[in-house]
Amino acid sequence: MHAMTALSSMKALVYHGPGKKAWEAHAKPVVIDPTDAIVRITKTTICGTDLHILKGDLASCKPGRILGHEGVGVIDSVGPAVTAFKAGDAVLISCVSACGKCEYCRRGMFSHCTTGGWILGNTIDGTQAEFVRTPHADTSLYPIPEGADEEALVMLSDILPTGFECGVLNGKVQPGATVAIVGSGPVGLAALLTAQFYSPGEIIMIDLDENRLEVAGRFGATKTINSSDGKAVEVLMQLTDNRGVDTAIEAVGVPATFELCQQIVAPGGVIANVGVHGVKVDLHLETLWDRNISITTRLVDTVSTPMLLKVFKARKIDPKLLITHRFKLADILDAYETFGNAAKTKALKVILEA
Amino acid sequence: MHAMTALSSMKALVYHGPGKKAWEAHAKPVVIDPTDAIVRITKTTICGTDLHILKGDLASCKPGRILGHEGVGVIDSVGPAVTAFKAGDAVLISCVSACGKCEYCRRGMFSHCTTGGWILGNTIDGTQAEFVRTPHADTSLYPIPEGADEEALVMLSDILPTGFECGVLNGKVQPGATVAIVGSGPVGLAALLTAQFYSPGEIIMIDLDENRLEVAGRFGATKTINSSDGKAVEVLMQLTDNRGVDTAIEAVGVPATFELCQQIVAPGGVIANVGVHGVKVDLHLETLWDRNISITTRLVDTVSTPMLLKVFKARKIDPKLLITHRFKLADILDAYETFGNAAKTKALKVILEA
Amino acid sequence: MHAMTALSSMKALVYHGPGKKAWEAHAKPVVIDPTDAIVRITKTTICGTDLHILKGDLASCKPGRILGHEGVGVIDSVGPAVTAFKAGDAVLISCVSACGKCEYCRRGMFSHCTTGGWILGNTIDGTQAEFVRTPHADTSLYPIPEGADEEALVMLSDILPTGFECGVLNGKVQPGATVAIVGSGPVGLAALLTAQFYSPGEIIMIDLDENRLEVAGRFGATKTINSSDGKAVEVLMQLTDNRGVDTAIEAVGVPATFELCQQIVAPGGVIANVGVHGVKVDLHLETLWDRNISITTRLVDTVSTPMLLKVFKARKIDPKLLITHRFKLADILDAYETFGNAAKTKALKVILEA
Amino acid sequence: MHAMTALSSMKALVYHGPGKKAWEAHAKPVVIDPTDAIVRITKTTICGTDLHILKGDLASCKPGRILGHEGVGVIDSVGPAVTAFKAGDAVLISCVSACGKCEYCRRGMFSHCTTGGWILGNTIDGTQAEFVRTPHADTSLYPIPEGADEEALVMLSDILPTGFECGVLNGKVQPGATVAIVGSGPVGLAALLTAQFYSPGEIIMIDLDENRLEVAGRFGATKTINSSDGKAVEVLMQLTDNRGVDTAIEAVGVPATFELCQQIVAPGGVIANVGVHGVKVDLHLETLWDRNISITTRLVDTVSTPMLLKVFKARKIDPKLLITHRFKLADILDAYETFGNAAKTKALKVILEA
């Protein structure tokens, strides 16, 4: 009996309302639906979205919820309808759960799966725990290639597919093209790393933080612009012979950066929005109506995960560049402290090891 | 000498500043660049944009300008570098002049041709005259197929390619899809006619004017919504099982109609802007950032003219449906009166015959 | 006991080796995998492929197999992992079974599903029976829209998606384009019906059988060519001003018709192969290497079924045009006789009603 | 008078029928059409196609013709309709002449331009001369970026766009994908260099020549297979876990290599033909009809030249890797000797400097 009790309990990072969280004991998850898997977390991380939840910005995430939607682990058990995985398999957990059956999943829009989407660490318990229940396991987990670096793979749960799908694919980055990425935080840097799959001619990184721009330079940005003097548009136009950019990737999520994108996009170009916006923005149709531009929005679908795994396997990308700090999972409160003070700690992504 | 003078003079509709226009004598145009053609106009029409110019809304169009950017005619003379046409050829005049050489033309963005674009009746003299000089003739005129109905072809100068390229192509209309067109004026109706090339399942037309909605029903709209009661969103959502539309075509150009499009577009859908906007609009990124939508803008490129000519030749479209009134070219002031009071006259497009 | 026996038996059309088939008693299927459904067939049909099997042309189909891969029915029972359907639901059975999870399914290539593909009536028992077991039910069955004509829907199991995906989509049929369809049998006619979703300018139907060409004329072909005099290429070139066709759809499956397609495809065009070929063909790269053409092959994926259902619901297509004969399911041997002598009986598709 | 005569004569490499060529005096070209430019050649090269002509394989090229379709130079004079260039401009000469006006040019199929295409050194005099007349100058020449390496740019006349357009673009090379290139000669290597714009996971180079495979390894091939033992298919299948390749680029032009491509292409893959074929090949539709593959052919259009110039400017490619030998233009007969004995001399591309 005691052993049983011990087995069915675990530790987890639980959200207790705005500003409150605790690393505490919690019931270990069990299979609910036949397509569920229970995964023992070996490595996880913290996302900027988790900080938003802790600020109380996300009404869908209720107190009592275990946070986290990224990570790798080992299958502990599977429901009777899971056919692609079995206990003991090492797996990558996608931040988006996809049934693979509904109208949206069939169109590759896993983000809008009618029984999934981004639910982990949001409307159901997440990955910042010793165990997690992952719904739709067959279509939401990925086998970890033998010998793969698991730390690197944690970057494939969310940050890399987000930068790639919302920024690079939506932005239609092409060989030789001119790209600007507004925001050199983790997701902007993920866009920077994955934009290079398509050999653009210029990738101009724009941010207020000199350290992050320096990082961008090391990650492959061909030019950087510190926008703190309010002259980013002017400088960018000079750099591009007054043409503007073919692709402007918005990776911040505030009106000012979206405004900037509208000022630098060239006729025929794309503004690919990646940032999470809390308020409306001005759209200058009075100047853009005849400029033949596109503006795209997207919640990551993680449909590119198989492609990203191949590119990773072929060593065309080094996801570990994004990792700046490492903690034990039990020290997750320290990790939040470090990640939450990125300007000071220069944190990008932190790894939590169970 | 007198004969010469007679030959070098013609009649034209000249803009004389806000609210002022005259049908008056004007020097007949001559070849300036070797790629020019002089076309004797046989039929032309009036565009909503001409009314905007007359209101003084378009700074690029200066007093003294002959208006008009649509029409068919017969080649009077050509410059030495014109190889595709000769005097006597019947031609369709595209509203956009394209050099075919510059970076934009090579990408199919004729609207942004560095020495062309929409210049006729804007920055150079236009087609509401007995003769017009058409720059870049080889790549801006189209031979009229033998026996073709010239009235119908006037609709291919601007209104049909605008509805098709900016609305239907940008809007990615697909077989079986659900389309809403906001604005049942000439350009909205042009989108309605050309959307049917792709067999969408539903085309829902939204307007304030019951007469125009009745026209839309005859032109192929499967449903119509009169938005004057402020309940268009509600009604549309009911009609679409709360899904919204795959494509929302904005064909008015004011903030309210762009707002409506944002409220009815389904996840994964497109808002294709066709309307000419004079002021900025609100973009609700706080609700749209995770909806996987696209917003497109476009000044017509007329790259689809060869396709439209083929579809027309195959009788898959009847452009003459758009024509409601006919006048002699010399009676163009009456035509403006009729076209400018469309709510009363029920005018869509008027034909002016020389 | 007797009742039980009665319940677990049914009648089915069983293949007994080349030239041999029987309508006989057979064990009623039961759920094997948790994702299976058992469907009571209400309507089914016969495919040209079934005739191939009966000739012994298909090594994968072994004696003892119940034939048939098309049909509609009512769910009798479902396995524990089926979530989209329940007993009593009316469903359309896709000829292709798709797991929705494997690499190929994720790419929309259901035809190459690693645990599915075309298996019904081939490597597992099929639909020419009172009941059928359908694997991967959630992703291989489609709910029948209320009030829909079930006879028409039988055409969506195979013949319409085959003509549409392999012929029309692969052939990139465009508004105004010139299309030739070589072979006016059921699948060629399905391509003809679905090509019209895209408003091509010309659809030229080529066949040896005058009756089938007459049918093609009624179904929307703009021109027909009887190729029995060996002059089809000459005639087609005259019809197209010596340009050839943008899309040539091969819907027969023998070297002569593939040869014909190579002779009529225009520079920049596509040859979309739909026919099932038993022997290799000559590819004239010595003349085609510099013609910028594409040749495509495809086993139907049925990924277009949701789109086809929408187009059908919108009455943009009348699938029943393909149905020429109707039989009771118990009279399936007569139906085979009629369908197998199509030249004489003028049969296209036959409906078998349970 | 003497001076005039001197000015109007030049030296050129003239084809005198199979096996015969001479470096001899020839009249200097003059502007014929108003869109012509006369270019003084500064650097040119020899193409494998030139060797084909000298063997008498190309009926369109008649004795008396100056060979050569690649090179860079300086504008000597232009016709009255040339607007983009003037005497003294440094230019890259495209191997394909494009009017920019005809139906094919408008579709980006410059190779099939009704008054151009590949005519230089084929049906009109070419670039292996001190001067060349280039038709349709505005749309067939490209300004040389200031400070650019002209030797490198000679590779952009033909070999790089050929490998890129016919192999890489037609082959739909994607990040992470598996590519095989059959033939490690200059054009296969050009495909290898440009395929890397898209970060494929594997590029497997197949050839009979160990030296060329060694070169391929240095140019970025991830694996090489020497096919001289007849086991290339077997080896490739092992390397790809029996999946085959997503893209097979045929860069030889004989039946055996096209056969190989059919055996290694995976379901859903593309065979992109680049090779110039002299005889028909077998197409195994009996095994490929249901494999969902595409086969593409293409004569280079050089529509990608602006993109290639940008990629070159951004230093994402080093075209000079292809250059193995350098000669004075006057020593072109020696250059032919070296280039024609590539197996022995290990020549890839040779530069001829005027």
Side-chain angles (χ1 to χ4, degrees), chain D residues 100-117:
Chain D
K101 306 172 182 181
C102 71
E103 180 193 341
Y104 288 111
C105 282
R106 279 163 190 255
R107 291 165 59 189
M109 280 176 63
F110 295 174
S111 58
H112 288 72
C113 173
T114 53
T115 59

Side-chain angles (χ1 to χ4, degrees), chain B residues 12 27 63 71 101 107 110 132 143 161 184 194 220 229 239 246 260 276 297 299 312 331 334 343-344:
Chain B
K101 305 172 182 180
R107 292 164 58 189
F110 294 174
V132 65
S184 190
T194 54
D229 62 0
L239 291 176
D246 301 306
L260 175 56
V276 178
T297 72
L299 179 61
F312 169 63
D331 298 331
D334 294 342
K344 204 178 74 185

Side-chain angles (χ1 to χ4, degrees), chain B:
Chain B
M1 283 293 282
H2 283 276
M4 284 281 294
T5 308
L7 275 174
S8 61
S9 176
M10 67 169 185
K11 295 296 278 298
L13 192 283
V14 182
Y15 168 63
H16 288 296
K20 298 181 201 154
K21 61 180 181 295
W23 176 249
E24 62 189 24
H26 193 283
K28 185 186 154 185
V30 294
V31 165
I32 297 174
D33 293 313
T35 49
D36 287 347
I38 305 300
V39 179
R40 176 170 56 80
I41 295 292
T42 53
K43 292 190 173 61
T44 183
T45 182
I46 306 172
C47 178
T49 312
D50 297 326
L51 301 183
H52 276 292
I53 292 173
L54 283 164
K55 283 187 198 146
D57 289 350
L58 208 75
S60 55
C61 185
K62 307 293 186 198
R65 176 72 57 238
I66 300 175
L67 298 186
H69 49 268
E70 301 164 277
V72 297
V74 175
I75 299 273
D76 188 58
S77 63
V78 296
V82 174
T83 59
F85 301 100
K86 60 180 192 308
D89 288 353
V91 292
L92 164 66
I93 301 167
S94 179
C95 64
V96 161
S97 303
C99 74
K101 305 172 182 180
C102 71
E103 181 193 341
Y104 288 111
C105 281
R106 281 165 189 253
R107 292 164 58 189
M109 280 177 64
F110 294 174
S111 58
H112 288 72
C113 173
T114 53
T115 59
W118 173 43
I119 53 177
L120 281 178
N122 177 8
T123 59
I124 66 171
D125 285 335
T127 59
Q128 293 170 4
E130 291 176 335
F131 293 88
V132 65
R133 179 180 71 94
T134 57
H136 304 310
D138 279 340
T139 34
S140 310
L141 301 176
Y142 293 85
I144 292 189
E146 210 167 330
D149 184 315
E150 297 203 348
E151 282 196 355
L153 285 173
V154 174
M155 303 300 112
L156 270 77
S157 285
D158 178 348
I159 192 85
L160 283 176
T162 294
F164 183 54
E165 296 180 5
C166 308
V168 177
L169 288 183
N170 271 15
K172 295 191 170 61
V173 175
Q174 293 293 315
T178 302
V179 178
I181 302 175
V182 183
S184 190
V187 76
L189 292 167
L192 170 61
L193 290 174
T194 54
Q196 295 172 64
F197 297 169
Y198 295 99
S199 309
E202 296 276 0
I203 312 180
I204 302 165
M205 211 79 185
I206 305 175
D207 203 291
L208 298 160
D209 181 321
E210 203 56 36
N211 169 57
R212 289 192 154 182
L213 290 174
E214 186 271 329
V215 171
R218 279 190 284 118
F219 283 22
T222 57
K223 304 211 171 78
T224 61
I225 300 178
N226 189 314
S227 55
S228 53
D229 62 0
K231 295 188 180 165
V233 173
E234 203 177 316
V235 174
L236 184 134
M237 283 301 175
Q238 279 172 348
L239 291 176
T240 60
D241 296 331
N242 272 317
R243 288 186 62 262
V245 300
D246 301 306
T247 303
I249 297 176
E250 206 284 349
V252 178
V254 300
T257 46
F258 193 79
E259 183 86 24
L260 175 56
C261 289
Q262 296 177 68
Q263 293 180 282
I264 63 177
V265 67
V270 184
I271 299 174
N273 187 78
V274 188
V276 178
H277 291 257
V279 295
K280 70 182 180 183
V281 301
D282 286 341
L283 176 62
H284 293 287
L285 281 184
E286 79 279 16
T287 57
L288 295 173
W289 73 269
D290 66 352
R291 298 267 284 174
N292 298 36
I293 64 151
S294 298
I295 298 166
T296 63
T297 72
R298 187 168 183 174
L299 179 61
V300 65
D301 294 299
T302 66
V303 283
S304 68
T305 304
M307 178 189 274
L308 290 169
L309 282 166
K310 286 182 192 173
V311 178
F312 169 63
K313 193 180 162 197
R315 300 171 188 280
K316 301 285 178 192
I317 188 171
D318 180 3
K320 289 179 75 171
L321 286 170
L322 292 166
I323 302 169
T324 52
H325 296 74
R326 288 168 180 82
F327 297 86
K328 285 282 160 196
L329 179 54
D331 298 331
I332 190 167
L333 294 177
D334 294 342
Y336 263 96
E337 192 66 22
T338 296
F339 183 69
N341 290 284
K344 204 178 74 185
T345 62
K346 302 190 179 178
L348 294 173
K349 291 293 279 186
V350 304
I351 283 287
L352 295 155
E353 185 166 3

Side-chain angles (χ1 to χ4, degrees), chain A residues 34 80-81 83 100-101 103 106 110 138-142 306 310, chain C residues 34 80-81 83 100-101 103 106 110 138-142 306 310:
Chain A
T83 60
K101 304 172 182 182
E103 181 192 341
R106 280 165 189 254
F110 294 174
D138 279 340
T139 34
S140 309
L141 301 177
Y142 292 85
K310 286 183 192 172
Chain C
T83 59
K101 305 172 182 182
E103 181 193 340
R106 279 164 190 255
F110 294 175
D138 279 340
T139 34
S140 309
L141 301 176
Y142 292 85
K310 286 182 192 172

Side-chain angles (χ1 to χ4, degrees), chain A residues 62-333:
Chain A
K62 307 294 184 197
R65 176 72 58 235
I66 299 173
L67 298 185
H69 49 267
E70 300 164 277
V72 297
V74 175
I75 300 272
D76 188 58
S77 63
V78 295
V82 175
T83 60
F85 299 101
K86 62 180 190 309
D89 288 353
V91 291
L92 164 66
I93 302 168
S94 179
C95 65
V96 161
S97 304
C99 74
K101 304 172 182 182
C102 71
E103 181 192 341
Y104 288 111
C105 281
R106 280 165 189 254
R107 291 165 60 189
M109 280 177 63
F110 294 174
S111 59
H112 288 72
C113 173
T114 53
T115 59
W118 172 43
I119 53 176
L120 280 178
N122 178 6
T123 60
I124 67 169
D125 285 334
T127 59
Q128 292 170 4
E130 291 176 334
F131 293 88
V132 65
R133 179 178 71 93
T134 57
H136 303 310
D138 279 340
T139 34
S140 309
L141 301 177
Y142 292 85
I144 292 188
E146 210 166 330
D149 185 316
E150 297 204 347
E151 282 196 355
L153 286 173
V154 174
M155 303 299 111
L156 271 78
S157 285
D158 178 348
I159 192 86
L160 283 176
T162 294
F164 183 54
E165 296 179 6
C166 308
V168 177
L169 289 183
N170 271 15
K172 295 191 171 59
V173 174
Q174 292 291 317
T178 302
V179 178
I181 301 175
V182 182
S184 189
V187 76
L189 292 167
L192 170 60
L193 289 174
T194 54
Q196 295 172 64
F197 297 168
Y198 295 98
S199 309
E202 296 277 359
I203 312 180
I204 303 165
M205 210 79 186
I206 304 174
D207 202 291
L208 298 160
D209 181 322
E210 203 55 37
N211 168 58
R212 289 190 156 183
L213 290 174
E214 186 272 328
V215 171
R218 279 189 285 119
F219 284 22
T222 56
K223 304 214 172 77
T224 61
I225 300 177
N226 190 315
S227 54
S228 52
D229 63 0
K231 295 187 178 166
V233 173
E234 204 177 315
V235 175
L236 184 135
M237 284 301 175
Q238 280 173 347
L239 291 177
T240 60
D241 295 330
N242 271 318
R243 290 186 60 262
V245 299
D246 301 305
T247 303
I249 297 177
E250 205 283 350
V252 178
V254 300
T257 46
F258 193 79
E259 183 86 24
L260 176 56
C261 289
Q262 295 177 69
Q263 293 180 282
I264 62 177
V265 67
V270 184
I271 299 175
N273 187 76
V274 188
V276 178
H277 291 257
V279 296
K280 70 182 180 183
V281 301
D282 285 342
L283 176 62
H284 293 286
L285 282 183
E286 79 280 16
T287 56
L288 295 173
W289 74 269
D290 66 353
R291 299 266 285 173
N292 299 36
I293 64 152
S294 298
I295 298 166
T296 63
T297 73
R298 186 169 184 173
L299 179 62
V300 64
D301 294 300
T302 66
V303 283
S304 67
T305 304
M307 177 188 276
L308 290 169
L309 282 166
K310 286 183 192 172
V311 178
F312 169 64
K313 193 180 162 196
R315 299 172 189 281
K316 301 287 177 192
I317 187 171
D318 180 3
K320 290 180 75 172
L321 286 170
L322 291 166
I323 302 169
T324 53
H325 296 74
R326 288 167 180 84
F327 297 86
K328 285 284 161 195
L329 179 54
D331 298 330
I332 190 167
L333 295 178

Side-chain angles (χ1 to χ4, degrees), chain D:
Chain D
M1 284 294 282
H2 282 276
M4 284 282 294
T5 308
L7 276 174
S8 62
S9 176
M10 67 169 186
K11 295 295 278 297
L13 192 282
V14 182
Y15 168 62
H16 287 297
K20 297 182 202 155
K21 62 180 180 298
W23 176 250
E24 64 190 23
H26 192 284
K28 185 186 155 186
V30 294
V31 165
I32 298 173
D33 293 314
T35 50
D36 287 346
I38 306 299
V39 179
R40 176 170 57 80
I41 294 293
T42 53
K43 292 191 173 60
T44 184
T45 182
I46 306 172
C47 179
T49 312
D50 297 324
L51 301 184
H52 277 293
I53 292 173
L54 283 164
K55 282 186 197 147
D57 288 352
L58 209 75
S60 56
C61 184
K62 307 293 185 198
R65 177 70 59 239
I66 299 175
L67 298 185
H69 49 269
E70 301 165 276
V72 297
V74 175
I75 300 271
D76 188 58
S77 64
V78 295
V82 174
T83 59
F85 300 101
K86 62 180 191 308
D89 288 353
V91 291
L92 164 66
I93 302 168
S94 180
C95 65
V96 161
S97 304
C99 74
K101 306 172 182 181
C102 71
E103 180 193 341
Y104 288 111
C105 282
R106 279 163 190 255
R107 291 165 59 189
M109 280 176 63
F110 295 174
S111 58
H112 288 72
C113 173
T114 53
T115 59
W118 173 42
I119 54 176
L120 280 179
N122 176 9
T123 60
I124 67 170
D125 285 335
T127 59
Q128 293 169 5
E130 290 176 335
F131 293 88
V132 65
R133 179 179 71 92
T134 57
H136 303 310
D138 279 340
T139 34
S140 310
L141 300 177
Y142 293 85
I144 291 188
E146 210 167 331
D149 185 316
E150 297 204 347
E151 282 196 354
L153 285 174
V154 174
M155 303 299 112
L156 270 77
S157 285
D158 178 349
I159 192 85
L160 283 176
T162 294
F164 184 54
E165 295 179 6
C166 308
V168 176
L169 289 183
N170 271 14
K172 296 190 170 59
V173 174
Q174 293 292 317
T178 302
V179 178
I181 302 175
V182 182
S184 190
V187 77
L189 292 167
L192 170 60
L193 289 174
T194 53
Q196 295 171 63
F197 296 168
Y198 295 98
S199 310
E202 297 276 0
I203 313 180
I204 302 166
M205 210 79 185
I206 305 174
D207 202 291
L208 297 160
D209 181 321
E210 202 56 37
N211 169 58
R212 290 191 154 184
L213 290 175
E214 186 272 330
V215 171
R218 280 190 284 119
F219 282 23
T222 57
K223 304 213 171 77
T224 61
I225 300 177
N226 189 315
S227 55
S228 52
D229 62 0
K231 294 186 179 167
V233 174
E234 204 176 317
V235 174
L236 183 135
M237 283 301 175
Q238 279 172 348
L239 291 176
T240 60
D241 297 332
N242 270 319
R243 288 187 61 263
V245 299
D246 300 306
T247 303
I249 297 177
E250 205 284 349
V252 179
V254 299
T257 48
F258 193 80
E259 183 86 26
L260 175 56
C261 289
Q262 296 178 68
Q263 293 180 284
I264 63 177
V265 67
V270 184
I271 299 174
N273 187 76
V274 188
V276 178
H277 291 257
V279 295
K280 70 182 181 185
V281 301
D282 286 341
L283 176 62
H284 293 286
L285 282 183
E286 79 279 16
T287 55
L288 295 173
W289 74 269
D290 66 353
R291 299 266 285 175
N292 298 36
I293 64 152
S294 298
I295 298 166
T296 64
T297 72
R298 187 168 183 174
L299 180 61
V300 65
D301 294 299
T302 66
V303 284
S304 68
T305 303
M307 178 187 275
L308 290 169
L309 282 166
K310 287 182 191 172
V311 178
F312 168 64
K313 192 179 162 197
R315 300 173 188 278
K316 301 285 178 192
I317 187 171
D318 181 3
K320 289 179 75 171
L321 286 170
L322 291 166
I323 302 169
T324 52
H325 296 75
R326 288 167 180 83
F327 297 86
K328 287 281 161 195
L329 179 54
D331 298 330
I332 190 167
L333 294 177
D334 294 342
Y336 263 96
E337 192 66 21
T338 296
F339 183 69
N341 289 284
K344 204 177 76 187
T345 61
K346 301 189 178 179
L348 293 172
K349 290 293 280 185
V350 303
I351 283 287
L352 295 156
E353 186 167 4

